[in-house]
Amino acid sequence: MNECSAVDFNTISLNKISTDWDLISFVISKDEIDDIVASAAALTIQGGESPLFMESTILDLESLCTLDYRQLPELTHIQVDLMEKRLSGETDSVVDMFFLELRCTFSLGWKVPESNDDIRAISYHNSTFNNLIYRKADFLASSFGSNRYKMPYWLRLSQLRIMSHIPNNLINNAQLDKIFFFPIHRRDLNATSCSINGQKYVTANFGLNGILHELNRFIYHFQSTEVYSLGNREKRALPEIVPVVLYFLTSCSPRYFFPQFLFGQSGWKVKTLTDYQLDFIVLHEIAHHILEHPERASLIKDYVERQNKITKFEYEADTLANALMASAVMTERDDEPRNKNSVIVYADAIEAVELLFEHMNFIEQMEENIRSRFGGVINIASIKGAHPDAYTRLEYFHRIFKDENRPLSEIAIYARGLYNKMIDYCRELSNDEMASLMRNYLV
């Protein structure tokens, strides 16, 4: 074994999470957090609603962290120059960036309501809280300056979580420690792996953490309030998810997202699911680099042949990502110690990935419906890009362990059922009815 292969990349990555604290900035202070929480409660009571009782308040402080990715000490001058060129001219809203991160910073877990008055008070509070967060985001954006390189920290954190899990020999042989990561202003549910002049990097939608948190919270909200439902939930759910769909397809601002509420400790579950979904997306892109997909695709000149090959590459990356997530499990099967640095629990990760593909399929189906109706008058982006459809990807994801027929997790089953009902309901709406759901968000 040469000296390089003996490097403990897992420990190095884990240690970087601590040393990064010298580089990151918090977007708001503890006093500002306290002020938002207290103001929301006071305004709710002033609005005539009854005093409220929360079971838990979860603060995801990681979502408050921003980082100028150019300052990472392991980057070379060439990598920094490439990053600056890639980020130059980025124009997406800084307000939206702050708003999405603040939205997933706070997870309020309410006690189970005992009356319709309780539900109305909770809804009033959440709406008030949402308005306060947007005002804070607007203020932060006005004082942010022109630094387009300071971005949410979640991508760096996900990278380090993953690199503390992947087997050391694979990191060394594939030179995964040479890949650099940074967020960009782009709206989608995926990331992108690139290779330019030997420089390998991964980019991702800067708002991906907030968007996934939003989708997961949406599903958990409707599942947890099922007992209070009188049926036909798709008729209430569809108008509330339309702004999220339009975020991907148009320039719709996340300020229009509905403030869904959660009960008890379910905010922890939403955060866990979101973290694992981010980790899978990052692992998927790392898998592209391990398999040298960017380099191989660039050598194919024929467009049709290249697109067919890219589709195959996506399946391969999903399959390898599954294997990498399971690496600690497989190591245990060989009676070797589990990587002490890994924070990945395989069963929890699989649950999160299944739910991620349910989100993807729903957005894909909604895109198809909206494009077929309004594609001639609205500029509609594509959510899939070069990726195959979500359900085929999910099938390939499970194939490596011959699990393509495995039963879905409980939360994925619920999401599929609700999403399918919303899609069917959407198809029943006339063009005028569908346009009325979208009109207020297309400004």
Side-chain angles (χ1 to χ4, degrees), residues 354-424:
E354 289 176 346
L355 183 56
L356 172 64
F357 281 120
E358 295 301 328
H359 297 326
M360 287 180 175
N361 179 71
F362 173 70
I363 301 296
E364 290 170 9
Q365 296 299 315
M366 289 296 293
E367 176 195 336
E368 181 180 326
N369 186 288
I370 294 172
R371 186 184 301 279
S372 66
R373 296 174 185 241
F374 308 109
V377 294
I378 301 174
N379 185 20
I380 298 173
S382 172
I383 184 65
K384 288 198 303 183
H387 292 82
D389 69 88
Y391 280 169
T392 306
R393 290 183 62 189
L394 179 59
E395 177 190 343
Y396 273 84
F397 173 79
H398 283 308
R399 220 176 248 192
I400 187 171
F401 297 128
K402 299 184 172 24
D403 277 350
E404 59 264 37
N405 295 319
R406 76 190 300 274
L408 289 173
S409 62
E410 180 182 344
I411 192 64
I413 291 173
Y414 179 82
R416 180 170 295 191
L418 180 61
Y419 280 151
N420 284 342
K421 289 179 181 178
M422 285 194 288
I423 291 168
D424 290 341

Side-chain angles (χ1 to χ4, degrees), residues 131-160:
N131 291 335
L132 289 170
I133 286 177
Y134 188 81
R135 282 188 220 163
K136 176 59 69 173
D138 192 41
F139 171 78
L140 292 171
S142 67
S143 58
F144 189 64
S146 59
N147 186 353
R148 306 299 293 177
Y149 306 107
K150 186 173 282 189
M151 292 283 205
Y153 181 67
W154 66 261
L155 180 56
R156 168 69 167 181
L157 185 60
S158 183
Q159 169 201 352
L160 296 180

Side-chain angles (χ1 to χ4, degrees), residues 60-78:
D60 181 8
L61 297 182
E62 298 160 4
S63 296
L64 293 178
C65 298
T66 59
L67 170 70
D68 185 337
Y69 281 71
R70 300 173 302 170
Q71 296 179 356
L72 293 173
E74 67 266 25
L75 296 185
T76 66
H77 291 300
I78 294 176

Side-chain angles (χ1 to χ4, degrees), residues 260-327:
Q260 309 288 358
F261 56 81
L262 300 171
F263 296 135
Q265 302 291 325
S266 54
W268 284 113
K269 186 63 177 180
V270 169
K271 172 175 168 47
T272 301
L273 287 168
T274 303
D275 286 348
Y276 277 129
Q277 289 163 351
L278 294 172
D279 290 350
F280 166 72
I281 291 171
V282 171
L283 259 176
H284 173 94
E285 300 308 325
I286 289 175
H288 277 310
H289 281 302
I290 292 172
L291 299 170
E292 299 182 339
H293 287 162
E295 294 86 353
R296 292 162 61 187
S298 67
L299 297 176
I300 304 173
K301 304 304 180 184
D302 180 76
Y303 176 79
V304 175
E305 181 184 355
R306 184 169 64 253
Q307 292 305 112
N308 290 336
K309 185 64 71 174
I310 288 174
T311 298
K312 181 181 177 182
F313 287 167
E314 295 302 325
Y315 296 142
E316 291 176 353
D318 285 336
T319 302
L320 180 54
N322 190 347
L324 291 174
M325 286 196 303
S327 61

Side-chain angles (χ1 to χ4, degrees), residues 26-308:
F26 284 96
V27 297
I28 60 175
S29 66
K30 179 182 180 300
D31 289 342
E32 290 173 301
I33 293 174
D34 292 341
D35 181 62
I36 291 173
V37 173
S39 296
L43 289 170
T44 300
I45 295 173
Q46 290 174 20
E49 299 298 339
S50 59
L52 305 164
F53 299 96
M54 282 180 278
E55 185 174 315
S56 65
T57 300
I58 300 170
L59 294 177
D60 181 8
L61 297 182
E62 298 160 4
S63 296
L64 293 178
C65 298
T66 59
L67 170 70
D68 185 337
Y69 281 71
R70 300 173 302 170
Q71 296 179 356
L72 293 173
E74 67 266 25
L75 296 185
T76 66
H77 291 300
I78 294 176
Q79 291 172 329
V80 171
D81 288 345
L82 194 155
M83 186 186 304
E84 289 180 342
K85 289 177 182 177
R86 181 64 182 82
L87 289 173
S88 64
E90 296 280 358
T91 58
D92 211 353
S93 172
V94 177
V95 179
D96 290 349
M97 180 179 78
F98 283 125
F99 181 64
L100 282 170
E101 292 308 299
L102 288 174
R103 280 267 292 193
C104 59
T105 295
F106 298 90
S107 292
L108 309 179
W110 299 98
K111 289 187 176 181
V112 176
E114 298 179 356
S115 66
N116 287 335
D117 287 343
D118 288 345
I119 294 177
R120 189 182 66 245
I122 292 171
S123 298
Y124 188 96
H125 178 279
N126 273 27
S127 179
T128 301
F129 201 90
N130 202 57
N131 291 335
L132 289 170
I133 286 177
Y134 188 81
R135 282 188 220 163
K136 176 59 69 173
D138 192 41
F139 171 78
L140 292 171
S142 67
S143 58
F144 189 64
S146 59
N147 186 353
R148 306 299 293 177
Y149 306 107
K150 186 173 282 189
M151 292 283 205
Y153 181 67
W154 66 261
L155 180 56
R156 168 69 167 181
L157 185 60
S158 183
Q159 169 201 352
L160 296 180
R161 281 199 304 261
I162 291 302
M163 292 294 284
S164 67
H165 171 79
I166 297 176
N168 271 290
N169 62 338
L170 179 58
I171 295 175
N172 179 52
N173 294 336
Q175 295 187 311
L176 302 185
D177 58 313
K178 306 301 182 185
I179 302 172
F180 62 108
F181 300 70
F182 58 98
I184 60 174
H185 294 263
R186 184 185 61 196
R187 300 183 174 210
D188 55 31
L189 267 176
N190 296 294
T192 302
S193 50
C194 303
S195 180
I196 298 179
N197 297 326
Q199 299 297 320
K200 299 181 179 182
Y201 64 96
V202 171
T203 63
N205 169 11
F206 74 97
L208 196 53
N209 177 47
I211 287 295
L212 288 175
H213 190 277
E214 204 67 40
L215 288 166
N216 294 328
R217 180 160 55 181
F218 174 84
I219 290 298
Y220 259 85
H221 165 79
F222 275 90
Q223 185 192 47
S224 63
T225 56
E226 195 74 39
V227 65
Y228 308 106
S229 168
L230 298 177
N232 296 322
R233 305 211 78 198
E234 66 277 7
K235 294 183 179 181
R236 183 194 141 205
L238 182 63
E240 295 187 12
I241 199 65
V242 162
V244 180
V245 174
L246 293 178
Y247 167 85
F248 292 108
L249 306 183
T250 70
S251 59
C252 175
S253 170
R255 70 174 298 184
Y256 297 114
F257 291 175
F258 275 71
Q260 309 288 358
F261 56 81
L262 300 171
F263 296 135
Q265 302 291 325
S266 54
W268 284 113
K269 186 63 177 180
V270 169
K271 172 175 168 47
T272 301
L273 287 168
T274 303
D275 286 348
Y276 277 129
Q277 289 163 351
L278 294 172
D279 290 350
F280 166 72
I281 291 171
V282 171
L283 259 176
H284 173 94
E285 300 308 325
I286 289 175
H288 277 310
H289 281 302
I290 292 172
L291 299 170
E292 299 182 339
H293 287 162
E295 294 86 353
R296 292 162 61 187
S298 67
L299 297 176
I300 304 173
K301 304 304 180 184
D302 180 76
Y303 176 79
V304 175
E305 181 184 355
R306 184 169 64 253
Q307 292 305 112
N308 290 336

